[in-house]
Amino acid sequence: MQLYKDQPLRIHNSLSGKKELFQPINKGHIGMYVCGPTVYSNVHLGNCRTFMSFDMIFRYFRHLGYKVRYVRNITDAGHLENDADEGEDKIAKKAKLEQIEPMEVVQRYTVDFHNTLQKFNLLPPSIEPTATGHIIEQIEIIKDILEKGLAYEVNGSVYFDVVKFNEDHEYGKLSGRKLEDMIANTRELTAQDEKKNPQDFALWKKAEPQHIMRWPSPWGDGFPGWHLECTAMSTKYLGETFDIHGGGMDLKFPHHECEIAQAEASTGKSPVKYWMHANMLTLNGKKMSKSTGNNIYPSEIFSGDNNILSKVYSPAVVRFFMKQAHYTSILDLSDDALLASEKGYNRLMEAMTGLKDLKTGTTSDFDVAAWKQKCYDAMNDDFNTPILIAHLFDAVKHINLIKDDQETITSVDKELLEATLNAFVYDVLGIENQALAKDDSKALNGVMELLIQIRNDARTNKDFATSDKIRDELTALGIQLKDGQEGTTYTLK
RNA sequence: GGCAUCGUGGCCGAGUGGCUAGGCACAGCUCUGCAAAAGCUUGUACAGCGGUUCGAAUCCGCUCGAUGCCUCCA
């Protein structure tokens, strides 16, 4: 199904600052690279939002019928604590702290990363390469840039010559900066700095004797610079020019700017057609950040072990909450907002759960085909999930009216409605219906039918003490009774 | 200090020139033995000031405020 032929998609390109019609380089195929985590600690919820945003984008592309190669890396080396010469590798630092091998650190937090994303129902990427698995490729790129005269070696380290690069290229075009301004705004070089200019960045760093993570290179033992790994891996798996490069907003500068510089220096081509940046999740109005400690971990939300939220929230509710905001907007996490989302989520799921049994009639009061296209229009407008969700609630309203015998729907429309809702909610938004996953055993249904019958008998006999007791006790157990036109049903909370 | 983004009704959050966003909360009504659920109805929101325009939340300018990046962070 090549839906994309009928669904023109517009994407906000960070490089141009505009929404552009999406046209893949190779018809029907998409190459997408997203900067993954540095695995030196557990992923916090802010990290998850970015990956969830790109998961939704990946899912929509697939839904449209594109063949997508989605590459998301694992940074397991090269990410320094800071830009200074004595900067320590994040992984190595953690390893020292916990007195374990660096690769044990990597393994531990990679597993945590995968487990957490799985809870949020993220699809695995097509390829998940690691920096340490691509040292050779990185060295080759450095050699290439050195040959072209856009990098220089000092004392076993290699730096990218930003000033020289800027003579024929435009350094800063992604982040809207001008090199002259940056130079004017930087403090003078520290005396021991090896770099020609503060803007220069490391392609290769010499490993001091005490450094554990080291690899041989033409410039001696060392390790690759952080920015380089993404260039190496994206080029290897997606080619010198590919469709989409994504990542968190905070990576725009310098990380992505440097990627552009490296690629252009090496291949002479602009590496990416569409740059996409997902915005931050804030907590208490401030960006979530590992370094400042202003963050919350997914496990703390699922367990309730935190002092920010009043109750436990499920992964599906958190995912739904995040999809109610556009991926390019800052989203603030709060208990009130999650509470509101949870209720909305429940309403949506309840409407969808009974969809199969919806009665059909000879006419439809609801123009399902037009509604369906509105859903696509929302997604085609730069993945506007909040608008999509607004339309989904329009459908919920009609479903409830039909259940209430206030509207009718034809069987053809019903099928279309069900298929469309399933596609958008489950496949595209990736929101799981936890009501369906709950215990729905024959035994429970039998017991519930019995209780409902006893209660209704009591009500008929005006024995409200008994009927209310059944209702209240069930409520306390998390089972809600609903008295409708067609009798009483129940849902598990 | 530089660059960038943003400021929408009680809360969250869409919307870039004229047409109801949506969710949650609140209130009233219908239904109910009472509730819950569901449905219906109601909100004269767009930081402030000035300008452009027949018309601006939406464009321009200024002011105030917030956030992000400029050093590691999705």
Side-chain angles (χ1 to χ4, degrees):
Chain A
M1 283 248 286
Q2 299 177 332
L3 286 174
Y4 58 81
K5 287 180 176 163
D6 308 313
Q7 303 294 347
L9 172 63
R10 278 155 34 92
I11 292 181
H12 178 86
N13 189 346
S14 305
L15 191 58
S16 66
K18 294 188 184 112
K19 276 186 202 169
E20 298 174 7
L21 183 67
F22 177 69
Q23 288 174 312
I25 295 162
N26 299 308
K27 203 171 173 222
H29 293 260
I30 293 173
M32 174 160 113
Y33 187 92
V34 172
C35 293
T38 301
V39 281
Y40 68 102
S41 67
N42 294 314
V43 272
H44 63 67
L45 194 64
N47 301 122
C48 294
R49 183 187 179 201
T50 297
F51 300 124
M52 237 184 265
S53 294
F54 287 104
D55 182 62
M56 173 274 294
I57 288 165
F58 176 44
R59 284 165 173 273
Y60 188 56
F61 280 140
R62 286 180 14 145
H63 173 75
L64 288 181
Y66 284 110
K67 290 196 166 56
V68 189
R69 181 179 289 172
Y70 174 25
V71 182
R72 189 185 63 208
N73 69 294
I74 297 274
T75 298
D76 56 354
H79 204 158
L80 301 183
E81 279 292 306
N82 55 55
D83 201 31
D85 276 349
E86 65 277 13
E88 232 179 327
D89 186 289
K90 280 173 181 285
I91 309 277
K93 186 184 175 187
K94 186 81 173 187
K96 219 182 282 173
L97 209 65
E98 302 195 4
Q99 296 195 313
I100 52 176
E101 274 291 313
M103 277 303 139
E104 284 185 81
V105 173
V106 167
Q107 179 69 21
R108 176 183 300 171
Y109 296 115
T110 301
V111 167
D112 169 74
F113 175 66
H114 287 152
N115 284 344
T116 304
L117 294 198
Q118 198 168 21
K119 284 197 180 107
F120 282 121
N121 197 28
L122 271 79
L123 298 172
S126 326
I127 303 174
E128 193 167 46
T130 59
T132 54
H134 297 76
I135 302 285
I136 292 167
E137 287 84 351
Q138 296 182 69
I139 289 173
E140 287 306 309
I141 294 175
I142 298 171
K143 282 195 209 157
D144 194 21
I145 298 174
L146 273 170
E147 264 172 42
K148 291 184 169 128
L150 292 168
Y152 53 93
E153 187 198 341
V154 182
N155 192 23
S157 292
V158 183
Y159 296 98
F160 190 93
D161 194 335
V162 172
V163 173
K164 188 147 187 217
F165 172 79
N166 197 53
E167 288 170 8
D168 298 317
H169 300 80
E170 198 189 337
Y171 182 78
K173 62 183 173 186
L174 179 67
S175 53
R177 285 155 214 254
K178 292 213 179 326
L179 187 58
E180 306 85 74
D181 295 345
M182 285 186 247
I183 292 168
N185 277 305
T186 40
R187 300 154 217 118
E188 67 278 16
L189 282 168
T190 47
Q192 64 271 51
D193 204 322
E194 300 172 331
K195 295 191 283 188
K196 286 194 206 168
N197 294 287
Q199 283 69 36
D200 294 350
F201 55 89
L203 297 173
W204 188 265
K205 291 283 275 186
K206 178 188 179 177
E208 299 302 327
Q210 70 273 17
H211 221 101
I212 10 180
M213 300 181 80
R214 56 201 299 144
W215 290 266
S217 82
W219 315 283
D221 281 6
F223 53 93
W226 174 42
H227 310 306
L228 191 60
E229 56 167 292
C230 287
T231 300
M233 293 185 270
S234 62
T235 308
K236 175 164 182 176
Y237 298 111
L238 299 172
E240 292 183 348
T241 303
F242 54 96
D243 297 296
I244 291 173
H245 189 128
M249 199 70 109
D250 50 352
L251 297 185
K252 203 171 182 180
F253 187 89
H255 184 56
H256 292 157
E257 203 70 73
C258 294
E259 276 190 56
I260 293 177
Q262 289 163 350
E264 289 188 355
S266 153
T267 69
K269 291 181 221 161
S270 188
V272 175
K273 200 170 173 192
Y274 304 92
W275 280 93
M276 297 183 74
H277 288 96
N279 219 325
M280 301 291 104
L281 181 71
T282 61
L283 183 63
N284 300 318
K286 299 256 193 234
K287 179 187 169 185
M288 277 197 201
S289 163
K290 286 175 192 170
S291 54
T292 61
N294 185 48
N295 59 24
I296 185 165
Y297 293 103
S299 59
E300 296 173 333
I301 296 176
F302 308 152
S303 69
D305 183 19
N306 65 76
N307 41 29
I308 297 156
L309 307 173
S310 66
K311 65 184 286 296
V312 165
Y313 294 98
S314 71
V317 166
V318 175
R319 185 164 176 134
F320 179 73
F321 161 71
M322 294 205 186
K323 295 300 136 207
Q324 277 185 301
H326 194 254
Y327 77 93
T328 57
S329 297
I330 292 171
L331 174 63
D332 192 56
L333 181 88
S334 68
D335 194 47
D336 285 347
L338 275 174
L339 218 51
S341 284
E342 186 178 52
K343 292 194 177 173
Y345 166 84
N346 286 336
R347 203 155 82 86
L348 178 63
M349 289 307 141
E350 277 172 32
M352 290 187 68
T353 304
L355 209 49
K356 292 173 291 296
D357 308 319
L358 205 62
K359 317 166 259 215
T360 55
T362 48
T363 55
S364 285
D365 294 296
F366 177 33
D367 188 345
V368 179
W371 165 81
K372 179 183 171 187
Q373 188 52 46
K374 278 206 254 173
C375 292
Y376 278 103
D377 290 345
M379 287 303 288
N380 292 340
D381 184 16
D382 196 26
F383 310 96
N384 200 326
T385 54
I387 295 285
L388 170 66
I389 290 172
H391 294 321
L392 296 179
F393 277 104
D394 197 31
V396 168
K397 192 171 177 173
H398 285 289
I399 290 167
N400 287 331
L401 283 169
I402 293 163
K403 281 183 186 167
D404 247 26
D405 283 328
Q406 297 183 52
E407 280 192 5
T408 57
I409 189 166
T410 65
S411 58
V412 174
D413 275 348
K414 185 190 127 179
E415 264 179 48
L416 184 63
L417 177 67
E418 191 178 356
T420 308
L421 272 175
N422 286 341
F424 278 108
V425 175
Y426 300 142
D427 301 344
V428 175
L429 292 177
I431 291 165
E432 291 181 303
N433 191 341
Q434 289 168 335
L436 290 179
K438 288 245 175 90
D439 187 4
D440 201 22
S441 69
K442 236 180 163 177
L444 179 72
N445 275 326
V447 171
M448 284 307 300
E449 264 175 48
L450 183 66
L451 279 170
I452 287 167
Q453 202 188 322
I454 293 170
R455 173 166 168 268
N456 282 341
D457 289 345
R459 290 170 73 197
T460 314
N461 298 329
K462 300 210 187 296
D463 178 9
F464 297 126
T466 303
S467 70
D468 286 354
K469 185 178 180 188
I470 292 172
R471 186 177 71 195
D472 296 343
E473 297 280 325
L474 286 175
T475 305
L477 290 171
I479 299 171
Q480 186 187 38
L481 293 179
K482 294 184 203 175
D483 299 321
Q485 299 243 329
E486 311 273 299
T488 304
T489 56
Y490 72 95
T491 48
L492 300 172
K493 287 276 175 190

